Amino acid sequence: MKKNIFFLIIFCLLFSISFWRQKLSENEATKSRIALGTFVEISLKGHQSNLDAIIDTCFAIINNLENKLSFQKAESSLNMINSQEKAKIFPELYFLLNYSKKIYALSEKKFDPTIGALINIWDFEEKKVPSPEKIAKTKKNCGFEKICYNSSYISKPKNLKIHLGGIAKGFIVQEVYNYLQKHNISDGYINAGGDILIFGETPKKIGITHPRQKDVLIDTVEITKGAIVTSGDYERFFIQDGVRYHHIIDPISGYPSTQCISITVIDTSILNADALATAYFMMPIDKTIKSANEKNLAVLIYYLDNGTLKSEESKTFKNYRIKND
């Protein structure tokens, strides 16, 4: 009798251990969709049984914020404001304007969210370069100092158009991450067309594309917790009369920036990495490296010197690099 009871206890213990191991085992889910004008992939690990539903909610958050912040969508909340001289401001725009103001100052006015009018006259589908006269005229409708705003209202010249392309994607990914943290997701990544946020304990290897050879990786890094963003002149461009015209427009000149051809920023914040990848792309290389070192940021820059590809990097970038054998 005692022997039977003993075996029954052992059986119950083994069953309980097996049950709780199953309960505590990590699940995985990965989904990809077209969003934010690019290919977005979300991959999660966690003890939750509803990871697929959580990812679906992530994409719902992305769609909701894109409908607010998109410059390309005519009916977005941003474009409703762009069509008016004075309007009620919405919280996300208020936050992003405040954040942009800091980057605007750091970049000596290179990072400017008021360049929508300039963006509009560059047609990368038709591959047309606007005339110098049109660029000069359009520049008059740009300038951060021309807008006035508070937490309730924004006022601006009618022809000034706000464009958040240099920061909105990072902000949206950060908002998705904030949602995931509330649901105690232990591990995963979000890849929004090259704006990548990695969290948890699983290191990820990220390849950096060669700026002149699309299918070649020029460098590789490994990140466990953090964000990596690369901006380059090879993402949207056309070549006319031997000149490459790309989508990162310098608001000072009105033309695509010529400081470098690729820049990678690694930071703890995807929002900051996204904004700085655009700002640093347009800044002189020496000023970018100085700023990155002061902020302890990992930055890698590729540029052309008389047709020869060269690079510069901040002090901490080597900490992430995987050396090729």
Side-chain angles (χ1 to χ4, degrees):
M1 183 68 177
K2 289 182 178 180
K3 191 174 182 180
N4 290 337
I5 293 173
F6 173 77
F7 280 117
L8 180 61
I9 292 171
I10 294 297
F11 173 79
C12 290
L13 284 171
L14 291 174
F15 178 81
S16 297
I17 291 170
S18 175
F19 175 79
W20 285 109
R21 277 183 177 175
Q22 186 177 10
K23 288 285 287 184
L24 294 174
S25 64
E26 281 196 326
N27 298 309
E28 296 184 33
T30 301
K31 290 189 178 185
S32 304
R33 294 182 189 174
I34 299 297
L36 305 175
T38 187
F39 187 77
V40 179
E41 181 174 82
I42 301 175
S43 182
L44 305 179
K45 291 182 181 179
H47 301 303
Q48 298 85 343
S49 60
N50 61 334
L51 290 183
D52 283 324
I54 289 175
I55 293 179
D56 288 340
T57 301
C58 290
F59 279 111
I61 292 170
I62 290 171
N63 290 336
N64 177 56
L65 289 172
E66 185 176 12
N67 287 335
K68 289 183 177 181
L69 301 171
S70 174
F71 187 79
Q72 285 70 36
K73 293 189 174 186
E75 300 303 318
S76 71
S77 301
L78 177 65
N79 280 327
M80 297 302 287
I81 286 177
N82 278 337
S83 66
Q84 303 176 67
E85 291 186 52
K86 185 174 182 179
K88 288 184 177 181
I89 201 169
F90 54 97
E92 293 86 356
L93 178 58
Y94 178 66
F95 173 86
L96 287 172
L97 287 176
N98 282 337
Y99 202 98
S100 295
K101 186 182 289 186
K102 300 173 186 177
I103 310 297
Y104 179 73
L106 177 147
S107 65
E108 298 178 353
K109 301 184 178 182
K110 295 282 189 178
F111 183 91
D112 189 346
T114 70
I115 64 166
L118 267 176
I119 298 291
N120 274 339
I121 66 172
W122 282 91
D123 191 336
F124 290 92
E125 299 298 325
E126 296 295 328
K127 302 180 180 180
K128 291 182 179 179
V129 179
S131 68
E133 294 77 17
K134 190 168 187 177
I135 290 174
K137 182 180 178 180
T138 307
K139 280 169 56 180
K140 295 178 182 178
N141 295 321
C142 305
F144 203 114
E145 67 282 351
K146 294 178 182 178
I147 63 174
C148 297
Y149 69 95
N150 55 33
S151 59
S152 300
Y153 289 93
I154 180 169
S155 60
K156 62 176 187 61
K158 184 178 180 180
N159 292 327
L160 184 147
K161 309 297 180 185
I162 298 169
H163 189 292
L164 301 170
I167 194 171
K169 195 191 296 182
F171 170 76
I172 292 172
V173 172
Q174 186 66 49
E175 288 296 291
V176 171
Y177 175 69
N178 293 342
Y179 164 77
L180 292 173
Q181 290 299 287
K182 292 177 182 177
H183 285 75
N184 301 312
I185 300 299
S186 61
D187 207 337
Y189 66 85
I190 305 166
N191 183 354
D195 285 27
I196 304 172
L197 177 63
I198 299 162
F199 49 94
E201 302 300 329
T202 306
K204 297 286 189 302
K205 292 181 181 180
I206 308 295
I208 298 172
T209 301
H210 192 297
R212 288 297 178 266
Q213 300 178 48
K214 188 173 74 170
D215 298 324
V216 175
L217 297 181
I218 198 169
D219 218 324
T220 309
V221 297
E222 186 172 80
I223 302 172
T224 302
K225 293 179 180 179
I228 178 169
V229 178
T230 298
S231 290
D233 69 354
Y234 51 87
E235 295 167 351
R236 287 183 62 214
F237 72 96
F238 63 89
I239 295 176
Q240 189 175 105
D241 299 326
V243 178
R244 178 182 294 249
Y245 297 97
H246 59 85
H247 72 291
I248 304 177
I249 307 299
D250 183 332
I252 307 299
S253 69
Y255 288 85
S257 178
T258 58
Q259 295 294 334
C260 65
I261 64 174
S262 171
I263 184 163
T264 298
V265 178
I266 300 174
D267 192 13
T268 55
S269 163
I270 185 74
L271 171 64
N272 203 50
D274 190 28
L276 288 178
T278 302
Y280 282 163
F281 188 95
M282 294 183 285
M283 289 169 57
I285 293 172
D286 58 338
K287 289 188 176 181
T288 291
I289 296 299
K290 180 182 178 182
S291 173
N293 286 333
E294 289 173 350
K295 296 176 181 297
N296 201 33
L297 293 175
V299 172
L300 173 65
I301 302 171
Y302 284 98
Y303 64 100
L304 293 175
D305 184 4
N306 293 322
T308 300
L309 184 66
K310 294 185 177 181
S311 66
E312 294 282 347
E313 63 185 63
S314 63
K315 294 176 182 177
T316 60
F317 191 84
K318 63 180 182 293
N319 298 336
Y320 296 92
R321 177 180 283 113
I322 296 175
K323 293 184 179 179
N324 296 320
D325 295 331

